[in-house]
Amino acid sequence: MRGRAIAAFVLGALVAGPAGAAAKPCPAVPIALVTLGTMGGPVPDDNRSQPANALVRGNAVYLVDVGDGTVGQLARAGIALPRVKAVFLSHLHADHTGGLNAVLALRNQILVKDRLTVYGPPGTRQLVAGIVASMQPAAKAGYGIPGQPWGPPEESVTAVEIAGGADFAVGDMRVRAVQNSHYDFAPGSPEDQSYKSLALRFEVPGRSIAYTGDTGPSAAVEQLAAGADLLVSEMIDIDTTMARVGQNAPDMPAVARQNMVRHLTTHHLSPQDVGKLAARAGAKALVVTHFAGGTAGPARLAAVLEEVRQGFRGAVALASDLDCY
C-alpha cells in the first residue's frame, strides 16, 4: 500500500500540472499545436529544445516527435504527462526520438494504466523494445517496497509501424502519412524497406495540420499538405548551420564536411523551399521550425522570413519553443 500511495501522490502532482507554465496561450481551435522543441539536428542549444510537438485536442495530447527534453517541455507547457494518449515519430534520428525513453519510463513509474501507442516508420518496434528492456530494472525494484514493483513495462506501450500511404484513425482524428525525401535510398532497395522518413497529416472536424518531418523537396509532401489549415515545416538555414558545425567540430575532415553539406541541401528544406512548398500545397498558414543552426540574430531571422515569403504570401510564423498555433 505504501508504494501505491507514493505513486498516487506523484501522479496527482503531475495531473495538477506545474505552477509556472510558460507556454503561450493556445487559440480557440478544434486542435492546437504546441511547438515543444524547435531546434534541429544533434547539437544541443541553450535557447531551443530538441524537435518535439504536442497536438492538443481537449484533454487529449498527442506527441509528434519526441526529442531530448520533451518531458520537461511538457511541464513548461502545463501539460501533465498522463494526458499524452499517443506518440507519432516521423523518423528515427536521435534528435527526434531522444525523449521517448523518459516519456515511457516516467509514465510507468507513476503507474499510468493506459497503454500508450507509439506510431512510427519501420524500426519503431525495435526502438521501443530497446527502451522497454532498459525500463525493466527500475520497474522490478519499484520504489523499493518489497513485493511492490511497478507494472511490467512491456504492458505499458504498443509500437505500430506505418509507412507511406497509411491512413487510419486515432480517436476522432484522421492520420495520414507519406514517405518524404529525407533519405536517398533507392525505391525498393533493402535500405528503403528498412529505413523510412515520414510526413504526417492530422485532421479533426474543423481543422487540419500537416507536418513535414525532416524532408527535402517532395511532391508527396506537397500533396499531403494540400489545403491544410496549418503547415508545420522543417527548415535548414545552411550558412548558420554550417557555421555552428564548424564551431562544434573544427577538425571535421573535408569529406565529412562535404557529406554534411550534401545532407543539408538535399534532405532538408531551405527557406525558399519552404515558401514554395506552402504555396504549391495551398496551405492557409505556415509555421517554420527545426532551426538546426540554433537561434540566429534578429537580422538573420528577418532575412529568413523574407526568403520564405518570396514564395508564400500567406501567414508565416518562425516558431519558438512553447509557441501554440
Side-chain angles (χ1 to χ4, degrees):
M1 291 298 295
R2 183 180 169 194
R4 292 192 181 94
I6 293 172
F9 175 80
V10 176
L11 177 59
L14 285 173
V15 170
K24 297 177 176 62
C26 288
V29 290
I31 187 168
L33 180 129
V34 180
T35 50
L36 297 172
T38 57
M39 185 59 182
V43 180
D45 184 74
D46 58 354
N47 289 311
R48 296 181 184 271
S49 191
Q50 292 285 294
N53 304 278
L55 293 171
V56 181
R57 180 157 172 77
N59 194 53
V61 174
Y62 306 94
L63 296 179
V64 183
D65 284 336
V66 282
D68 187 32
T70 294
V71 168
Q73 292 297 91
L74 283 170
R76 293 182 184 92
I79 298 172
L81 188 56
R83 290 177 59 191
V84 175
K85 304 305 180 186
V87 175
F88 299 90
L89 302 177
S90 65
H91 65 297
L92 303 185
H93 280 159
D95 55 323
H96 290 251
T97 65
L100 184 59
N101 191 309
V103 170
L104 298 181
L106 292 178
R107 289 179 82 257
N108 186 244
Q109 183 168 345
I110 60 174
L111 307 184
V112 176
K113 294 182 179 179
D114 295 337
R115 184 184 286 259
L116 189 70
T117 301
V118 179
Y119 300 91
T124 297
R125 282 195 293 266
Q126 183 179 3
L127 173 69
V128 170
I131 293 174
V132 166
S134 76
M135 292 164 58
Q136 295 291 347
K140 291 174 181 177
Y143 286 109
I145 310 300
Q148 294 291 328
W150 303 330
E154 63 275 13
E155 295 180 6
S156 68
V157 59
T158 298
V160 176
E161 294 188 351
I162 60 175
D167 187 340
F168 56 100
V170 177
D172 70 343
M173 180 171 66
R174 182 187 182 189
V175 183
R176 288 188 280 161
V178 298
Q179 186 170 340
N180 60 33
S181 60
H182 192 47
Y183 300 149
D184 274 343
F185 303 126
S189 67
E191 294 89 352
D192 178 59
Q193 295 298 317
S194 299
Y195 314 113
K196 294 182 182 295
S197 178
L198 304 174
L200 300 160
R201 181 174 176 132
F202 306 92
E203 299 177 13
V204 300
R207 197 173 203 217
S208 57
I209 298 176
Y211 174 66
T212 66
D214 283 10
T215 186
S218 167
V221 176
E222 291 177 12
Q223 293 168 9
L224 182 75
D229 293 302
L230 182 67
L231 172 60
V232 182
S233 178
E234 73 113 82
M235 185 207 69
I236 288 289
D237 180 354
I238 300 294
D239 293 340
T240 303
T241 301
M242 289 308 299
R244 190 180 185 91
V245 168
Q247 292 171 359
N248 284 277
D251 299 323
M252 177 181 287
V255 171
R257 184 178 179 85
Q258 291 170 4
N259 287 336
M260 177 69 72
V261 171
R262 174 185 173 184
H263 168 66
L264 295 177
T265 54
T266 62
H267 301 162
H268 290 282
L269 298 170
S270 69
Q272 296 93 335
D273 291 331
V274 172
K276 292 175 183 176
L277 167 62
R280 290 170 179 165
K284 297 182 177 66
L286 171 65
V287 169
V288 181
T289 184
H290 197 269
F291 294 87
T295 302
R300 181 55 194 152
L301 287 176
V304 166
L305 185 60
E306 182 56 33
E307 290 171 21
V308 173
R309 285 178 168 159
Q310 288 174 10
F312 180 65
R313 306 311 298 178
V316 182
L318 303 183
S320 297
D321 286 9
L322 305 180
D323 283 347
C324 190
Y325 302 93

